Amino acid sequence: MNAFASGGFSNPNNDFLVANPPNDSISQIAFSPRTLKPKNFLVGGTWDNEARLWEINPDGSSNMLTSTRHDGPILSVSWREDGQAVFTAGADRIVKMWDLGKNTAATVAQHDEPVRCVEYVSEQALNTPCIVTGSWDKSVRYWDVRAPSGQPMGVVPAPERVYAMASRGQMLVVGTAERKLVVYDMRKPTTPFLEKDSQLKHQTRCIATFPDSTGFAVGSVEGRVSIDYVLEADIKAEKYFAFKCHRDTKNSNVYAVNSIAFHEEYSTFATAGSDGGFCFWDKDSKSRLKEFNKVDQPITSCCFNYDGKIFAYAVSYDWSKGAFEHNPATKKPYILLHAVQDQEIKSRERSSRQGTRR
């Protein structure tokens, strides 16, 4: 199958276009969990108050299956572990559980201000399956999704408005305004395990956790990424660092890092930015593995599928220049799928060691 390369969409990497793209800016996209393999489904939350579900076929084609709505922009999405439901968080101050089998959505959480982030937490991490939500009301809340009561299981004050959040296993990382970072051990979910200021000097934009849960990456509006560790031994060894990316040095332009995604097998990662570019990186060798051609709009979200063979990236306005610059009639949002090659994403050091062993 030929990749989509017409119709007014910028596609300089000759990737696959997802069918029936959204009508407004895309807040977040997320692939279905490993439990649904070998099938791949993609969900996306958007600023037109809608979440859409697509099935991604082995040949790169896609089918939009269904959608659900909020009464405000959907800012975050998260899959349930079994792949049978998706949680959607919105500017309407609520979180819904979207039952994909029944195609029904019910409110399971609420805040006093827009809900910026939602993360599903498995039973293994907290002894009960739940979701964690972070809001601009300066709180993090835990909710039992088996029998929603309208009341949270726990409420934790955040240092400031929640801007980004990521969880994996027993680790939850929350990024707030004023560059604050808080790490929680989910076995003690209301007590911070680690509190610190970001290494980065400007507003936190996104967070992603390492596959082995030993640390996390933070992206900011200043075109920088930091690599942070949570174990005391790693912190004492000063393994943490930060680096510049998504910058136009020729014209002295700096762009936001909007999204970070880790490859589950290789622990390398991707960054995507307001410059319309995405890159693959190796944190262990502190090197860039590959820089791809830029599209003509910002990339607002990115993710790998369960086996790392597909990299999805959402192209749309990111609100960095305010509502005045937003015109969905002339700059339409869309999602592209990149077929990931090992030589693009695999650590060169790891490849060299394996070659030596052979």
Side-chain angles (χ1 to χ4, degrees), residues 63-130:
N63 313 63
M64 181 184 157
L65 300 179
T66 185
S67 64
T68 190
R69 295 190 64 82
H70 275 242
D71 291 328
I74 295 176
L75 305 179
S76 181
V77 295
S78 181
W79 284 85
R80 198 168 71 189
E81 189 176 37
D82 62 3
Q84 301 304 308
V86 171
F87 299 95
T88 56
D92 54 0
R93 306 179 182 183
I94 64 173
V95 176
K96 293 183 179 183
M97 182 170 68
W98 181 16
D99 185 315
L100 300 178
K102 298 177 182 178
N103 197 26
T104 57
T107 299
V108 293
Q110 58 188 9
H111 277 262
D112 301 322
E113 296 292 341
V115 188
R116 179 61 185 86
C117 306
V118 59
E119 290 280 327
Y120 176 79
V121 178
S122 69
E123 184 174 357
Q124 289 76 14
L126 202 58
N127 296 322
T128 181
C130 74

Side-chain angles (χ1 to χ4, degrees), residues 116 161-165 174-181 197-207 217-222 224 226 257-258:
R116 179 61 185 86
R161 291 155 290 168
V162 175
Y163 284 167
M165 194 163 69
V174 179
T176 75
E178 305 300 330
R179 302 170 42 249
K180 302 297 183 183
L181 298 171
D197 289 343
S198 171
Q199 296 183 59
L200 310 178
K201 297 178 181 179
H202 296 277
Q203 179 182 308
T204 297
R205 189 77 163 179
C206 55
I207 297 173
V218 179
S220 81
V221 298
E222 61 163 330
R224 285 181 187 264
S226 69
V257 180
N258 289 327

